Amino acid sequence: MTEDIIRIDHLSKSFRDVKAVDDLSFRVREGELFAFLGVNGAGKSTTINMLCGQLARDEGEIEIDGERPESNTDEIKRKIGVVFQNSVLDSPLTVYDNLQSRAALYGITGKAFRDRLSELSGLLDLSGLMKRSVGKLSGGQRRRIDIARALIHNPKILILDEPTTGLDPQTRKKLWSVISALRRERKMTVFLTTHYMEEAADADFVVIIDGGRKVAEGTPLQLKNAYSGDFVTIYGMTEEDIRTLGREKYDKVRDGYRISVGNTREATELILKHPEIFSDYEITKGRMDDVFLEVTGRNPGEGGE
């Protein structure tokens, strides 16, 4: 059975009168893609900063791969690599100098550094960038260097805080291809925050927080079944035909109509009852966007209260 690599119990953090994280508990299993979702200001970054040891917690317990921050902070930092939402690279320095200085913090120097740099260069397609200053790189290029920086010490856990925000689709696809390869080949655990719900839909497990508190958790399928239901889109029918189904709500879409059903069983029962109408149709699951809106009352990327 896969073990928990991150354990959070009753974690809390306040800033004066603002409760940023409020009695938060969850588990992350080793090797999984874990999505940590919430609107802006929900407490995601505060939680990450406590996980990384950059922020002291008020209450609760944190355990990273069997280690507790209060007893072994240095060991935990070696097990975690972080790609922050805003790049932390030194813009005037070259890519090579940025990565060399980062590696030195972990005692990776000389041949060991050159070997690791060569490995990351091949993985992230960094050839031709090493002598360029970071400030002259494109957003996608900087993001690849951010990931190389986070991976330089070969961590067991990669934390990605909004890693693809503002990137073009091609670059996003490239980065996710690299991350998938790391998970597949090295069983790396990936802890993700994102506003792109299609990225969260690929996660093994999802936790949604709002106002610093956990409001929903489960696999994407479990959350879709619990909060969004299914949709049936029927093609080639008139509105009068759709009304015979006895549904108060339906949406006009291109070449047809879409109705919502509670689950796949309900859709099947409806089809068997009205076979004359369902000559051309498709059943689709709700999206993670629907789940997020239902749970929080807001769209991904919106601010909290």
Side-chain angles (χ1 to χ4, degrees):
M1 182 177 179
T2 304
E3 296 183 353
D4 297 329
I5 195 168
I6 299 176
R7 299 171 65 90
I8 303 296
D9 290 303
H10 306 292
L11 189 65
S12 294
K13 180 66 180 180
S14 296
F15 298 98
R16 295 185 179 179
D17 297 331
V18 177
K19 195 85 169 181
V21 176
D22 189 3
D23 195 28
L24 183 62
S25 298
F26 61 82
R27 301 286 187 268
V28 180
R29 291 188 173 183
E30 186 175 8
E32 75 177 358
L33 172 58
F34 177 92
F36 190 51
L37 309 180
V39 298
N40 291 330
K44 304 188 300 297
S45 293
T46 300
T47 302
I48 287 175
N49 285 333
M50 287 188 283
L51 278 175
C52 298
Q54 295 186 328
L55 187 65
R57 63 193 185 277
D58 294 338
E59 297 176 4
E61 298 295 333
I62 297 174
E63 186 177 292
I64 309 292
D65 196 26
E67 305 283 354
R68 295 180 181 272
E70 60 270 20
S71 60
N72 208 338
T73 302
D74 290 341
E75 185 62 26
I76 287 178
K77 288 182 177 180
R78 288 183 174 274
K79 295 181 178 184
I80 295 177
V82 187
V83 178
F84 294 99
Q85 185 173 354
N86 298 315
S87 179
V88 294
L89 298 170
D90 196 333
S91 294
L93 297 183
T94 65
V95 169
Y96 184 93
D97 289 340
N98 266 277
L99 296 178
Q100 184 182 46
S101 61
R102 183 64 179 177
L105 294 177
Y106 296 95
I108 305 171
T109 60
K111 185 178 184 301
F113 167 68
R114 292 191 296 273
D115 289 345
R116 182 61 176 152
L117 188 63
S118 176
E119 183 180 7
L120 290 174
S121 180
L123 183 68
L124 292 160
D125 191 20
L126 305 181
S127 59
L129 299 179
M130 291 300 170
K131 295 182 179 180
R132 295 178 60 181
S133 64
V134 168
K136 295 181 179 179
L137 301 180
S138 68
Q141 289 170 334
R142 282 197 302 273
R143 203 36 130 193
R144 299 204 318 263
I145 307 306
D146 281 322
I147 293 177
R149 177 186 181 276
L151 295 174
I152 197 74
H153 60 297
N154 200 21
K156 296 183 68 173
I157 302 168
L158 180 62
I159 297 179
L160 302 172
D161 191 8
E162 306 287 350
T164 59
T165 298
L167 299 184
D168 62 87
Q170 183 177 358
T171 303
R172 286 174 61 196
K173 184 177 181 180
K174 169 66 177 177
L175 293 184
W176 275 111
S177 175
V178 170
I179 292 165
S180 296
L182 289 170
R183 292 186 60 227
R184 182 175 61 253
E185 297 168 7
R186 305 183 184 182
K187 296 183 180 180
M188 179 177 287
T189 304
V190 178
F191 185 107
L192 169 72
T193 78
T194 182
H195 288 151
Y196 296 109
M197 291 298 102
E198 67 269 26
E199 295 179 346
D202 292 330
D204 297 301
F205 199 79
V206 178
V207 166
I208 302 176
I209 65 171
D210 195 21
R213 298 184 67 88
K214 182 172 65 179
V215 292
E217 67 177 346
T219 67
L221 179 59
Q222 289 170 338
L223 292 174
K224 290 175 186 179
N225 286 338
Y227 295 102
S228 70
D230 294 351
F231 296 96
V232 182
T233 304
I234 310 168
Y235 300 101
M237 292 290 130
T238 66
E239 186 172 3
E240 184 177 350
D241 292 328
I242 300 302
R243 285 176 177 171
T244 63
L245 298 176
R247 298 278 164 162
E248 294 183 2
K249 293 183 178 181
Y250 51 86
D251 297 313
K252 181 73 174 72
V253 297
R254 184 172 181 174
D255 300 327
Y257 293 86
R258 190 178 80 159
I259 61 176
S260 62
V261 292
N263 49 49
T264 305
R265 174 178 291 182
E266 184 179 334
T268 302
E269 292 173 351
L270 196 63
I271 293 166
L272 293 175
K273 187 176 180 180
H274 301 274
E276 72 283 359
I277 292 179
F278 290 90
S279 58
D280 187 9
Y281 67 92
E282 61 180 349
I283 302 174
T284 56
K285 287 288 183 186
R287 302 172 303 166
M288 284 301 297
D289 298 76
D290 301 318
V291 171
F292 194 92
L293 182 60
E294 178 68 22
V295 170
T296 68
R298 294 184 289 272
N299 289 308
E302 288 186 17
E305 296 293 337

